[in-house]
Amino acid sequence: MNKVDNPLKKLIASNLYTRYSGILSLSDISLFLVDTNGDILLELIPSPDFCSHVCMERGDQVCPDYRNRFKSDEAGSFVCRYGLENILLPIKVKDETMGYIAGMQVYSQDTEYKKYMIDVQSLKNDRKVELEFIAKSIASLKTVELNKIKIHEQLCRHIAKNISLDLSESVSQVNPHVARLSIEKEMLEKKIIDLEAKNMSLVINPHFLFNTLNCIARIAYFEHSHTTEELIYCLSDLLRYNLKQDDQLHTIASEIDNIEKYLYIQKARFKNRLEYSIDVPEKIKSYRIPNMVIQPIVENALIHGITPKRDGGKISIYAEKSKGAIVISIADNGNGFPKDVLDKIQQCENKSGLGFRSTDKRLKQYYGEGYGLEIVKSDYSGSTITITIPTQPLGGASDERHLDCGR
C-alpha cells in the first residue's frame, strides 16, 4: 500500500495518542506504530537509545529484524539478534495488512546474558557512533520480569485490535458502531491483569512462612532468647488468624486472644510508652462475632491516641452485657482523633484507612441496624469506641443457648 494513502496516517492525525494515553500510562516499555514499509509513524512509548540510535540503520525506520518478518508475515513475539524481546502485531482490515504495532525491546531474565556479548567495537565501526554512547545505551537496556513482558504483550494486542476496528469503520463506512472496544474497558482489564501479576509476585506460601517463623523461634529458644521466641510465636499466631479470610463468626474469646498477641508485640515496640488492660468476662467470651472487627479499632487507638503522646498512654478493652446486648469498649487516654480524621469517619469516607465504616457495615449485615460500631467519645482526654452485638445468637435462640467456645 502506498505510504501516502495509508489510512493509519489519518488515524494518527485524529489524536490517536490522546485516545490511548490512559492505558499507555500503565507501561514503560516501548511501543510504536509502523507502516508496511517499516517506517515508524508514531512512537506511543519511546524506544531505548540503543535501538533508535545504534541498532536502527535509520532513526525513523525499524531494524531488519522487524522488516524481515513483514515478508514472511511472522507475527507475535520474537528475540532479535542482540537478545532483546520484541513483538510485532499486524493491523489488518479485511485481511489486508495496513501496518503493525511493534515494540518491547527489553531483556528477559533468560536473555539478559546476551547484553554482555554485544560486539561494541563492530557497532562503533559500522554505525560511526561514539564508543562511550554505545556502552551507555547498552547499560541502560532494561531487564524485565516475564510476567511484565506478558502484560505488555497483552496491552499491544489490545491496541492492535482496537486500531484494526477503527480502520474498519473508516474504510468500510458501514455501521459506525461496529464492535468497537471501549478504551475504559481495556484500561480496567489491563489494571486487573497488572494487579494479578503483582499479587502473584507477593504471594508467599503460608506453610513456608509459618515453618520459617517456627524455625527462627526454635533457634531463639536454644540461644535462650525467650522474649524473642515468644514474640515470634505471637507473630506467627497473629498472621495465621489474620489469614482466615472466611466470613464466618468467631468467638469473642478467639478475637480477644488475637488482640492480646497484637498488643504483646506492640508492647515490645513501645515499651513503657504503652500499657494495656483487657477485662472480658468468661460468660461473654463464648458469644460469636465477625472476625477482625476489634483489631482495627485497637490499632487506631494506638496510632491516633497513644503514638502522638510523648509519654504514651493506655488502651483498655472491656465488655459487659447491657439491655439484651453485649457491648465491647475500646478506650484510650490519648489526644483523641485529629479533626480531619474524625470528619472523614463521620462523612463515611474510608480513604483514611481506618476501616470504621466497613466494620460497622459488617456488624449491621450480621445483626441488624440496631447494632454496630459507635464513637462514644473523642476529645483531648481520649477516645472510646464501642462494638454492640445482640446477646441472642443468629437464628433467634435464647440467651442461655449461646454458642460454646469449643464449637
Side-chain angles (χ1 to χ4, degrees):
M1 174 176 289
N2 188 304
K3 180 178 174 181
V4 177
D5 297 333
N6 195 330
L8 278 174
K9 300 283 282 185
K10 293 181 180 179
L11 196 62
I12 293 170
S14 66
N15 251 344
L16 179 69
Y17 180 83
T18 303
R19 289 190 57 223
Y20 289 95
S21 59
I23 193 169
L24 290 171
S25 67
L26 301 171
S27 182
D28 59 355
I29 302 175
S30 73
L31 195 158
F32 45 92
L33 190 61
V34 186
D35 68 14
T36 52
N37 297 314
D39 291 329
I40 297 173
L41 301 177
L42 178 66
E43 276 197 312
L44 295 164
I45 302 176
S47 297
D49 285 343
F50 177 80
C51 295
S52 56
H53 297 298
V54 179
C55 179
M56 295 177 185
E57 295 172 0
R58 284 171 38 195
D60 61 349
Q61 191 173 67
V62 293
C63 69
D65 284 17
Y66 281 97
R67 292 200 303 274
N68 292 338
R69 291 175 176 269
F70 292 178
K71 301 169 186 175
S72 58
D73 201 26
E74 292 181 52
S77 57
F78 66 95
V79 177
C80 74
R81 54 188 153 165
Y82 295 114
L84 292 163
E85 301 282 345
N86 290 267
I87 191 165
L88 182 69
L89 299 169
I91 297 168
K92 292 189 174 185
V93 176
K94 296 182 178 179
D95 296 325
E96 181 182 358
T97 300
M98 301 288 184
Y100 299 87
I101 281 290
M104 209 170 289
Q105 298 168 323
V106 294
Y107 285 107
S108 68
Q109 292 169 327
D110 291 336
T111 61
E112 183 183 24
Y113 72 93
K114 294 186 179 182
K115 176 193 292 190
Y116 308 104
M117 299 173 66
I118 297 175
D119 189 341
V120 178
Q121 191 61 48
S122 294
L123 282 173
K124 178 182 181 297
N125 296 334
D126 293 343
R127 298 287 184 266
K128 308 299 181 185
V129 182
E130 290 295 327
L131 199 63
E132 182 181 357
F133 179 81
I134 297 174
K136 285 183 178 179
S137 64
I138 292 173
S140 64
L141 288 169
K142 295 178 181 178
T143 299
V144 177
E145 293 178 357
L146 184 60
N147 59 358
K148 190 172 181 180
I149 289 174
K150 293 295 184 185
I151 288 170
H152 189 75
E153 184 176 334
Q154 291 195 36
L155 171 65
C156 292
R157 292 185 185 280
H158 277 307
I159 293 176
K161 186 174 182 180
N162 208 62
I163 291 176
S164 295
L165 290 170
D166 283 334
L167 290 178
S168 295
E169 289 183 18
S170 62
V171 172
S172 66
Q173 293 298 314
V174 176
N175 188 2
H177 302 291
V178 59
R180 171 178 287 192
L181 292 178
S182 162
I183 299 301
E184 291 80 6
K185 180 174 179 288
E186 288 181 16
M187 289 178 66
L188 288 172
E189 287 176 348
K190 168 65 176 60
K191 286 180 179 179
I192 290 169
I193 294 167
D194 201 17
L195 285 171
E196 286 175 348
K198 287 179 180 177
N199 286 338
M200 285 177 65
S201 66
L202 291 173
V203 169
I204 298 176
N205 188 312
H207 294 295
F208 167 78
L209 179 62
F210 295 130
N211 288 341
T212 302
L213 287 172
N214 288 334
C215 179
I216 296 170
R218 297 311 296 164
I219 292 172
Y221 170 79
F222 288 117
E223 291 179 351
H224 304 291
S225 302
H226 299 304
T227 301
T228 303
E229 178 192 11
E230 188 63 28
L231 281 169
I232 293 168
Y233 280 132
C234 279
L235 176 61
S236 180
D237 290 343
L238 193 69
L239 290 171
R240 188 177 285 107
Y241 187 84
N242 288 4
L243 283 171
K244 290 180 179 179
Q245 297 295 331
D246 56 38
D247 207 27
Q248 297 178 357
L249 298 175
H250 293 199
T251 61
I252 292 176
S254 63
E255 276 283 292
I256 293 300
D257 182 61
N258 186 57
I259 294 301
E260 283 187 293
K261 290 180 170 66
Y262 171 78
L263 287 171
Y264 180 85
I265 293 171
Q266 294 292 6
K267 174 71 174 174
R269 173 190 170 195
F270 286 90
K271 297 184 170 43
N272 294 334
R273 293 185 62 240
L274 173 63
E275 299 296 331
Y276 65 88
S277 66
I278 299 176
D279 181 16
V280 178
E282 288 297 325
K283 62 182 180 180
I284 289 178
K285 287 184 178 180
S286 57
Y287 286 94
R288 301 264 173 171
I289 193 170
N291 70 320
M292 294 297 294
V293 297
I294 301 177
Q295 182 176 321
I297 314 304
V298 175
E299 190 171 347
N300 282 290
L302 187 65
I303 293 170
H304 296 289
I306 307 304
T307 302
K309 292 187 69 174
R310 185 183 64 180
D311 299 326
K314 182 176 181 178
I315 295 175
S316 301
I317 302 168
Y318 50 93
E320 61 180 352
K321 283 186 180 180
S322 175
K323 298 178 181 179
I326 294 170
V327 180
I328 303 169
S329 301
I330 298 95
D332 67 74
N333 61 352
N335 295 327
F337 291 106
K339 186 178 183 305
D340 61 327
V341 172
L342 199 57
D343 288 344
K344 286 180 179 179
I345 298 170
Q346 292 168 344
Q347 292 167 12
C348 301
E349 293 186 15
N350 201 30
K351 293 179 182 178
S352 58
L354 296 170
F356 277 81
R357 290 298 165 187
S358 59
T359 300
D360 183 55
K361 186 177 179 180
R362 286 181 68 204
L363 290 165
K364 283 177 167 50
Q365 284 177 338
Y366 276 109
Y367 303 115
E369 289 296 320
Y371 303 95
L373 184 149
E374 182 182 358
I375 301 174
V376 177
K377 184 189 80 165
S378 183
D379 54 34
Y380 285 108
S381 65
S383 299
T384 302
I385 315 294
T386 60
I387 296 169
T388 304
I389 63 172
T391 54
Q392 286 191 340
L394 299 181
S398 68
D399 186 36
E400 285 70 31
R401 293 181 61 194
H402 58 265
L403 298 171
D404 185 64
C405 271
R407 295 185 182 180

